[in-house]
């Protein structure tokens, strides 16, 4: 897997900041697509819906508040919030509300199925896009990357485990669970792991390290290889 640790913003901000904003916007919009599908929410959205049954707060507001609460779990993982963390909290809530406003509220079944499939795929891609910008992960994905570093497990395994735990909590609170929930929980980690190498920014230090490692492992050419001893 490519490195996903924070890289200072002074390094190519014109390339990385647009990627961060785009990824966060698509993440929120993908959440709205799954809500409009009505076939089962993503685990974090199930948690939002479960809490909404007990708190008089909007979907976007709960998304942001849960993001702040998840930051507390960063403390034992020694994760530090960065620009990407706060951008996540500020962007995802309103972009999901915008998606809910733009998308039809009662689509036909074929369109609902399309919304679900596209939403799950877009969600996994968007995670890879904004995490790959290396401006610092959002609250939920900082939890993912922190646990990945701590346990040495694959991103797919860690992400799936987090989604299952959150899903159980949301269901116990009364959140709606459906076929789309199961599809999301078992597939988004795989999509993220597949896409992350394609969007991850390689810093100058990473490229230099990779070049050095390549030179060290490259076999000697015929011109420099020792000849036979007579």
């Amino acid at each position: 897997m490519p490195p996903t640790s924070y890289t200072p913003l002074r390094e190519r901000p014109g390339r990385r900041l647009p990627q961060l904003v785009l990824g966060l916007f698509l993440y929120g919009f993908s959440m709205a697509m799954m809500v409009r599908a009505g076939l089962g929410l993503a685990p974090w959205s199930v948690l939002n819906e479960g809490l909404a049954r007990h708190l008089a707060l909007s979907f976007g507001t709960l998304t942001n508040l849960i993001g702040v609460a998840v930051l507390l779990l960063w403390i034992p993982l020694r994760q530090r919030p960065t620009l990407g963390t706060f951008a996540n909290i500020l962007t995802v809530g309103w972009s999901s509300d915008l998606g809910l406003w733009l998308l039809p509220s009662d689509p036909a079944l074929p369109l609902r199925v399309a919304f679900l499939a596209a939403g799950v795929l877009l969600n996994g891609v968007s995670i890879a896009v904004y995490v790959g910008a290396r401006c610092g992960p959002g609250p939920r994905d900082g939890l993912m990357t922190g646990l990945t570093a701590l346990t040495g497990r694959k991103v797919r395994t860690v992400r799936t485990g987090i989604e299952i735990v959150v899903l159980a909590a949301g269901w116990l609170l009364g959140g709606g669970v459906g076929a789309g929930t199961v599809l999301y929980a078992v597939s988004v980690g795989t999509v993220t792991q597949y896409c992350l190498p394609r969007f991850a920014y390689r810093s100058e230090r990473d490229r230099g390290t990779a070049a050095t490692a390549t030179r060290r492992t490259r076999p000697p050419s015929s011109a420099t290889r020792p000849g036979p001893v007579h």
Side-chain angles (χ1 to χ4, degrees), residues 20-195:
L20 170 68
V21 175
L22 176 62
L24 292 174
F25 177 83
L26 294 177
Y27 182 85
F29 198 87
S30 68
M31 291 172 63
M33 295 179 72
M34 287 181 281
V35 170
R36 288 297 185 232
L39 299 172
L41 299 174
W44 288 102
S45 297
V46 173
L47 180 59
N48 289 348
E49 186 179 64
L51 288 172
R53 292 180 179 272
H54 306 278
L55 302 172
L57 297 173
S58 69
F59 185 89
T61 300
L62 284 169
T63 298
N64 293 338
L65 289 178
I66 290 173
V68 173
V70 171
L71 285 177
L72 297 176
L73 299 177
W74 286 29
I75 297 174
L77 298 175
R78 299 182 180 180
Q79 296 278 88
R80 294 182 179 181
T82 61
L83 173 64
T85 310
F86 297 112
N88 185 293
I89 294 173
L90 294 174
T91 303
V92 172
W94 73 261
S95 63
S96 61
D97 284 342
L98 176 63
L100 292 173
W101 180 71
L102 291 174
L103 297 170
S105 59
D106 190 21
L109 181 59
L111 188 56
R112 291 167 61 194
V113 173
F115 278 169
L116 175 63
V120 171
L121 178 62
L122 183 61
N123 193 273
V125 173
S126 66
I127 293 170
V129 171
Y130 72 75
V131 170
R134 298 181 68 180
C135 296
R140 301 159 187 81
D141 298 297
L143 182 63
M144 176 188 71
T145 56
L147 288 173
T148 299
L150 178 66
T151 63
R153 302 284 184 176
K154 293 183 178 180
V155 170
R156 175 180 60 219
T157 303
V158 172
R159 183 77 189 194
T160 300
I162 292 173
E163 301 295 339
I164 291 174
V165 170
V166 171
L167 171 60
W171 178 73
L172 291 173
L173 288 170
V177 177
T181 308
V182 178
L183 174 65
Y184 183 91
V186 301
S187 63
V188 70
T190 301
V191 174
T192 301
Q193 181 169 311
Y194 176 80
C195 294

